[in-house]
Amino acid sequence: MGVPKEKLLWMYEMMVKIRYFEETMEKVYMEGKTPAFNIGAGTVPGEMHLANGQEPAAVGICAHLTDDDTIASPHRPHHHAIAKGIDLNRMTAEMFGKVTGLSKGKGGHMHLFDPDVKFACSGIVGAGIPQAVGAALAGKKRGQNNVAVAFIGEGAANSGAFHEALNLAAVWKLPVIVVVEDNQYGISVPKEKATAVASNDLRAPAYGIVGEYVKDNDPIEMYKASEKAVERARKGEGPTIIEIETYRFLGHFQGDAEMYRPENETAELREKDAIIRLKAHILDEGLATEEALAERVKVVKQLVDEAYQFARDSEYPSPESALEDLFVQQ
């Protein structure tokens, strides 16, 4: 079972787009936060969780999804959002706190919401799993052939929401997929110090469902595992847990001192960069030329640059708007 050429090229293009967006945010986020780091200062105030290195988890499954499929993402959401097709200009403006943002600048980077592509995220660990199960239940009751995906970190698999939601999804054979991104750390705690199993796909038989494991941050293998999971979901065969061994090149958040990481760990992980490996595969298979790939890269980088400029040029919300869009008890 191979990966169609256009899907491979889409995955490469999307991974480059995600990486460039995150690398740009690395720089923009630090504006106004030096020489003394102040999390509340600068162009983009507040916490920032970037996904450099974790792109395969997003593109491998989003290659099989439509705008009518739902994604519930966690606090590290940008790669999922971009791969799902979120409005990039409005997403970036939201992160800048601008009125042109997805939620008029009131949500920030951990609370992105775009109903046009059925994408949402939350800063609460594990919160997206029951939300995805709810979306899957709604689709099933409406007779729609949709899939819901919850992305979580490996630490969230130890939360009560993971077990309760998956048990219910299995009982009702709901079309939901939980993608566990094992980036080796729950904030600063190594996985082996917090999780009793080697990988969370091993938990799947406890619910009578299928578990898949993707080694070495491989976008092609993630595509294949996701293809099977999405097909099962659309056939009414119930949930799947996919755990992917992925790599976080940066700290848990921007400003993280990363004292918990062994020396040279990040450099060694970057040597296995999935973008470089996928590009080499595409060239070796003769699926595209260097020039064709360079043109794709040029186009997506321009889109990212335009999104950041859109965000910079947009206005901040008025003080009065703080009292708008609220639930008020009468």
Side-chain angles (χ1 to χ4, degrees), residues 122-198:
S122 170
I124 301 173
V125 173
I129 313 170
Q131 293 170 0
V133 170
L137 176 61
K140 185 171 183 177
K141 283 186 171 294
R142 291 170 178 159
Q144 299 165 334
N145 195 25
N146 297 335
V147 174
V149 178
F151 286 95
I152 62 171
E154 83 286 346
N158 297 326
S159 69
F162 177 89
H163 303 284
E164 294 169 16
L166 270 174
N167 180 69
L168 191 63
V171 168
W172 289 342
K173 289 193 176 297
L174 298 180
V176 64
I177 301 165
V178 175
V179 177
V180 183
E181 294 180 81
D182 176 15
N183 63 18
Q184 324 304 320
Y185 295 100
I187 305 180
S188 60
V189 179
K191 178 183 178 181
E192 64 270 15
K193 291 187 177 181
T195 303
V197 291

Side-chain angles (χ1 to χ4, degrees), residues 3-303:
V3 182
K5 171 184 172 181
E6 282 309 310
K7 291 290 188 180
L8 278 174
L9 294 176
W10 178 87
M11 286 197 294
Y12 174 73
E13 180 179 306
M14 197 58 58
M15 288 169 67
V16 170
K17 186 178 185 179
I18 292 164
R19 179 70 59 82
Y20 185 60
F21 184 91
E22 299 289 68
E23 288 178 340
T24 302
M25 181 53 73
E26 277 188 76
K27 302 181 183 74
V28 172
Y29 181 74
M30 292 306 297
E31 293 174 3
K33 292 185 175 68
T34 56
F37 182 79
N38 180 350
I39 199 169
T43 306
V44 181
E47 275 197 302
M48 181 58 60
H49 308 83
L50 300 180
N52 309 43
Q54 297 186 201
E55 299 87 358
V59 303
I61 193 163
C62 285
H64 303 286
L65 302 182
T66 71
D67 286 352
D68 292 324
D69 295 321
T70 296
I71 282 183
S73 182
H75 57 277
R76 196 181 312 281
H78 308 155
H79 51 323
H80 312 140
I82 293 171
K84 188 61 165 66
I86 201 169
D87 187 308
L88 195 62
N89 285 5
R90 296 179 65 210
M91 170 178 138
T92 312
E94 184 62 33
M95 295 161 71
F96 276 61
K98 299 297 185 70
V99 73
T100 53
L102 291 164
S103 298
K104 303 180 184 178
K106 297 178 179 180
H109 104 99
M110 286 190 283
H111 302 95
L112 304 171
F113 178 63
D114 189 348
D116 291 340
V117 294
K118 291 185 169 55
F119 178 90
C121 62
S122 170
I124 301 173
V125 173
I129 313 170
Q131 293 170 0
V133 170
L137 176 61
K140 185 171 183 177
K141 283 186 171 294
R142 291 170 178 159
Q144 299 165 334
N145 195 25
N146 297 335
V147 174
V149 178
F151 286 95
I152 62 171
E154 83 286 346
N158 297 326
S159 69
F162 177 89
H163 303 284
E164 294 169 16
L166 270 174
N167 180 69
L168 191 63
V171 168
W172 289 342
K173 289 193 176 297
L174 298 180
V176 64
I177 301 165
V178 175
V179 177
V180 183
E181 294 180 81
D182 176 15
N183 63 18
Q184 324 304 320
Y185 295 100
I187 305 180
S188 60
V189 179
K191 178 183 178 181
E192 64 270 15
K193 291 187 177 181
T195 303
V197 291
S199 58
N200 287 289
D201 59 296
L202 299 176
R203 300 185 195 257
Y207 309 107
I209 63 175
V210 176
E212 302 275 1
Y213 183 70
V214 178
K215 293 191 290 187
D216 199 23
N217 208 27
D218 189 328
I220 293 176
E221 292 305 313
M222 183 63 187
Y223 176 96
K224 293 177 180 178
S226 299
E227 183 176 36
K228 291 186 289 184
V230 170
E231 183 178 347
R232 281 194 296 268
R234 297 202 197 280
K235 286 182 176 179
E237 296 176 2
T240 301
I241 300 171
I242 302 174
E243 176 153 306
I244 176 171
E245 177 190 18
T246 191
Y247 310 128
R248 164 159 62 82
F249 291 165
L250 303 175
H252 171 66
F253 60 92
Q254 294 309 99
D256 181 357
E258 300 184 70
M259 299 299 291
Y260 52 89
R261 299 186 91 153
E263 188 177 358
N264 298 323
E265 179 182 75
T266 303
E268 292 171 2
L269 292 177
R270 286 184 180 273
E271 289 178 359
K272 300 190 289 184
D273 191 334
I275 294 178
I276 295 172
R277 288 155 49 200
L278 184 58
K279 178 182 179 181
H281 174 79
I282 290 170
L283 294 175
D284 289 346
E285 294 295 316
L287 303 176
T289 63
E290 282 272 11
E291 294 75 18
L293 293 181
E295 184 59 31
R296 285 176 177 257
V297 169
K298 179 182 177 182
V299 170
V300 298
K301 285 188 173 183
Q302 182 177 342
L303 291 173

